[in-house]
Amino acid sequence: MVRKQAVVRGMVQAVGFRYYAQAEARRLGLAGFVRNHRDGSVEVQVEGPAASVDRMLDWLRHGPPSAQVDTVHVEDMPDRGDDGFRIE
């Protein structure tokens, strides 16, 4: 199990990004959360098998059709044993 934090910047708020991210994370069987930041970015923390986490990070680099992703900054995090994926 691995956990990654990604901060996504661009046109990523008010475009349904969090809901699409939740659906993708659930499809991949990942745990964690997604939340908006006041600076207009979106933070995503995902935890699960490394291959699934990598697929989620790939998805975050383009996001849903309504979003425009400029950058994704990724950091390793200690796993927390989260259950499910939620919108905060």
Side-chain angles (χ1 to χ4, degrees), residues 2-55:
V2 298
R3 186 180 187 94
K4 303 276 185 176
Q5 176 189 47
V7 177
V8 185
R9 297 186 189 283
M11 191 177 74
V12 293
Q13 288 191 16
V15 294
F17 196 98
R18 292 176 299 157
Y19 299 97
Y20 281 101
Q22 181 182 48
E24 184 67 10
R26 287 180 173 173
R27 186 185 74 78
L28 293 169
L30 297 171
F33 65 85
V34 60
R35 65 178 160 206
N36 287 343
H37 283 205
R38 290 184 183 187
D39 67 0
S41 65
V42 173
E43 175 187 357
V44 183
Q45 289 193 21
V46 289
E47 183 174 313
S52 295
V53 169
D54 286 343
R55 283 195 292 277

